Structures are given as structure tokens and as C-alpha cells.
Amino acid sequence: MPVRVYIEDTDAGGIVYYVNYLKFMERARTEFMRTLGFGKEGIFNDGLMFVVRDVKIRYLSSAVLDDDLHVTAEPTLAKGARFIVRQAVYRNDELLADALVECACVNRTTQTPVRLPTVMHDALLKVMNGG
């Protein structure tokens, strides 16, 4: 997913503020899930939502104002109530940040874990297997 760095994304030095890499990744995960047919509306209508359970991120280099970035989202695990997505932020071919993001499927009302819907689990597995 392409992302342009705007002034609102930067700190006083014109460098992307660290938390904004997570925002870029959130948008890329959302768009990735949408391409699989799981937009927010459909998920919410099923009484489900996804929460980030764990993030491990590495910052390797800084993006700056007006950079054109590319953010990736690649599922690496789908099991039970959770899935893990490997994500990266690039400027051209330069890796700026990468992360493993674990998401959990929960009931919207009770906020208790719920198994991934079978159709979603299968779609994630298909992507992981190159399909």
C-alpha cells in the first residue's frame, strides 16, 4: 500500500514520529483484509472485531516529510482466535521498519476471544500457501 508522509506524520525535526509507522501498518492490514473480502463493516456485522494483542517492531531508518513509502502486510499464522501479520515499511527498496503484529478475534460485546471465522481462516491460509 502506498503512503505519502505528511507534516502531521512528523515530529519537530521533520522525521516520521515512531508511532506513525504503526498507523501506516494498521492501514495496510485493514486494506489487506479488505482485499480478502473482510472489510470492517462485514466483520462488525458478524459481531466480531480484531484487537492487536502483541507487536514486535524494529526501526531501521527514518522516513521524512514528503517521502513516498510502501507498506506491506503478509500473514504468517492463522490459528484459533488469532493471526500474525509480518509487516514492513519501505522507501523505494530501503527497509525502514518491520514488525510482527498479532491480532486476536474477539466478540464485540463481551470482548472475549472467538475462533477466526472458517472462511477468514481459510483465506489467510490460502495467501500463506501462495494462493
Side-chain angles (χ1 to χ4, degrees):
M1 182 183 102
V3 172
R4 176 170 310 273
V5 176
Y6 295 106
I7 190 81
E8 66 193 29
D9 300 318
T10 65
D11 61 16
I15 296 171
V16 170
Y17 187 59
Y18 77 96
V19 75
N20 288 328
Y21 292 93
L22 293 171
K23 291 179 180 182
F24 300 156
M25 290 176 184
E26 173 73 22
R27 292 178 203 155
R29 269 193 325 280
T30 299
E31 292 304 318
F32 167 73
M33 294 302 284
R34 189 182 316 279
T35 65
L36 295 181
F38 306 107
K40 294 285 186 184
E41 184 177 298
I43 293 167
F44 284 174
N45 287 344
D46 287 340
L48 304 175
M49 67 180 192
F50 293 93
V51 296
V52 172
R53 184 175 178 276
D54 189 51
V55 175
K56 180 174 180 171
I57 188 166
R58 292 185 315 153
Y59 299 99
L60 303 164
S61 191
S62 299
V64 296
L65 180 64
D66 217 30
D67 273 351
D68 285 318
L69 307 177
H70 180 78
V71 186
T72 63
E74 175 190 352
T76 62
L77 180 129
K79 183 177 181 180
R82 66 190 181 110
F83 63 96
I84 296 175
V85 180
R86 180 181 314 276
Q87 296 201 248
V89 179
Y90 294 92
R91 178 181 44 228
N92 300 315
D93 293 331
E94 180 186 8
L95 178 62
L96 304 179
D98 63 1
L100 288 176
V101 181
E102 182 178 343
C103 299
C105 182
V106 299
N107 177 290
R108 273 181 55 107
T109 305
T110 65
Q111 296 188 7
T112 55
V114 177
R115 290 185 75 78
L116 293 171
T118 301
V119 64
M120 181 182 293
H121 177 266
D122 291 349
L124 289 166
L125 284 181
K126 183 176 179 181
V127 171
M128 287 186 283
N129 292 324

